[in-house]
Amino acid sequence: MAWPPAMTEDRPLVTRFAPSPNGPLHLGHALSAIIAHDLAKAGGGRFLLRIEDIDGPRSRRELADEFRRDLAWLGLEWEETAAQSTRLATYVAAAAALKARGLLYPCTCTRKQIEAAGAASGAERLIYPGTCKRIPPDPALPAAWRLDAGRALAATGPLVWEDDLAGPIPVDLSGLGDVVLVRKDLPASYHLAVTLDDAADGVTLVTRGADLFAASHVHRTLQALLDLPVPRWHHHALLMDDTGQKLAKRRSSPALAERRLAGENGRMLAEQLRLQHLRLGT
Ligand code: GLU
Ligand code: ZN
């Protein structure tokens, strides 16, 4: 039975901000952190900071320190939870369980090969065309492991997830296809790590930008497959610049650290973002 989803209301409210230390925080990150923080405080809950430093050499410890300074500068208070680099064994165990059930398959394709195949099929969004599902690859080659969306759906049956703003959303894996859960170079992908971490941290309300909306279909599926508690979600609208471009993508938008070091008042900036967020209505 997929609906209603496992209730989280009997658990205390826990939100989180989960930045990856591979680049500085910008205004969009600040908004995400503020929303997660304010929702937790308004509901008498806890607000967690989790450093998503799974990305090996691309993760920089000194950036995580900058993040903490940025959040304090914005006037936020948080509890810090375990960083991803300390949780690799959990990811390995979960991936092994999914493999044992035949829900993952190895994929040796390079990004170039996938792009070429994706372009050939004319798909709007790049969806893995299933090459290695049809023809099992050479086991000697380095492989990523993908979730077989068809088998996953057969295993879970129809599922629903609940977004605070968008309402109940039926799970549809067709938008992302067979996503990678274990990377060639890492024991987990973003999808696997973030789902396990949110469960381990007792997160009951996943707050993040609407650019990650589609990922929640995958995360809800993983929760069902791995028997994890089901949170609610809150995907907030992204800040746009005057030209309608995502602010996060605009190079000219200065990093929070830069504004902080230039002496700007972070609490005032946070208030401005709260007002802007109210205007966006999300
Ligand atoms: N670490 C991810 C990022 O910085 C965010 C993960 C999430 O909020 O689910 O984009
Ligand atoms: Zn492949």
Side-chain angles (χ1 to χ4, degrees):
M1 178 59 194
W3 184 257
M7 282 292 122
T8 55
E9 278 63 25
D10 54 333
R11 295 191 284 147
L13 176 67
V14 181
T15 68
R16 79 337 186 245
F17 175 56
S20 304
N22 51 26
L25 299 185
H26 287 265
L27 277 183
H29 295 107
L31 180 65
S32 273
I34 290 166
I35 291 172
H37 170 273
D38 290 3
L39 285 170
K41 299 295 157 186
R46 297 162 62 210
F47 167 60
L48 307 180
L49 169 66
R50 184 173 65 233
I51 302 296
E52 304 222 310
D53 63 346
I54 195 179
D55 218 346
R58 287 184 61 218
S59 296
R60 293 168 23 213
R61 190 179 296 266
E62 68 280 9
L63 273 177
D65 288 335
E66 292 289 303
F67 292 179
R68 295 180 192 103
R69 288 188 200 107
D70 290 340
L71 296 184
W73 174 69
L74 290 167
L76 307 185
E77 286 167 20
W78 66 93
E79 286 170 56
E80 186 155 348
T81 182
Q84 286 185 329
S85 54
T86 68
R87 290 174 159 169
L88 303 186
T90 313
Y91 310 150
V92 171
L98 295 172
K99 279 182 199 173
R101 291 168 65 189
L103 295 169
L104 308 189
Y105 64 88
C107 167
T108 56
C109 295
T110 61
R111 180 179 289 269
K112 257 197 177 146
Q113 287 169 325
I114 296 170
E115 271 166 6
S121 75
E124 224 171 81
R125 196 201 288 257
L126 196 65
I127 294 176
Y128 182 64
T131 321
C132 296
K133 187 158 59 176
R134 285 191 301 276
I135 309 158
D138 180 349
L141 293 172
W145 290 77
R146 291 181 179 274
L147 179 68
D148 186 323
R151 287 192 181 184
L153 182 67
T156 64
L159 295 168
V160 175
W161 56 279
E162 179 80 29
D163 186 271
D164 270 357
L165 308 155
I169 313 282
V171 163
D172 177 3
L173 293 175
S174 64
L176 289 180
D178 291 350
V179 294
V180 169
L181 292 191
V182 180
R183 285 170 41 166
K184 282 180 188 169
D185 56 339
L186 292 172
S189 68
Y190 157 68
H191 295 299
L192 184 60
V194 83
T195 304
L196 290 166
D197 291 352
D198 282 338
D201 288 337
V203 171
T204 59
L205 180 60
V206 173
T207 55
R208 58 186 169 211
D211 51 342
L212 285 168
F213 193 91
S216 299
H217 291 286
V218 176
H219 303 173
R220 178 68 186 90
T221 301
L222 289 175
Q223 285 150 7
L225 292 174
L226 295 167
D227 211 10
L228 302 172
V230 180
R232 286 184 296 124
W233 280 263
H234 182 114
H235 291 94
H236 64 81
L238 302 176
L239 293 173
M240 300 289 173
D241 68 9
D242 301 340
T243 68
Q245 228 194 337
K246 267 199 244 172
L247 209 60
K249 301 279 176 223
R250 211 179 60 172
R251 295 237 168 96
S252 61
S253 140
L256 298 183
E258 225 176 286
R259 303 172 76 136
R260 171 166 55 79
L261 293 169
E264 191 175 333
N265 184 322
R267 285 169 192 263
M268 269 173 59
L269 176 63
E271 284 311 312
Q272 284 163 17
L273 287 169
R274 286 184 175 102
L275 288 175
Q276 214 165 333
H277 176 234
L278 277 180
R279 274 202 297 277
L280 288 171
T282 67

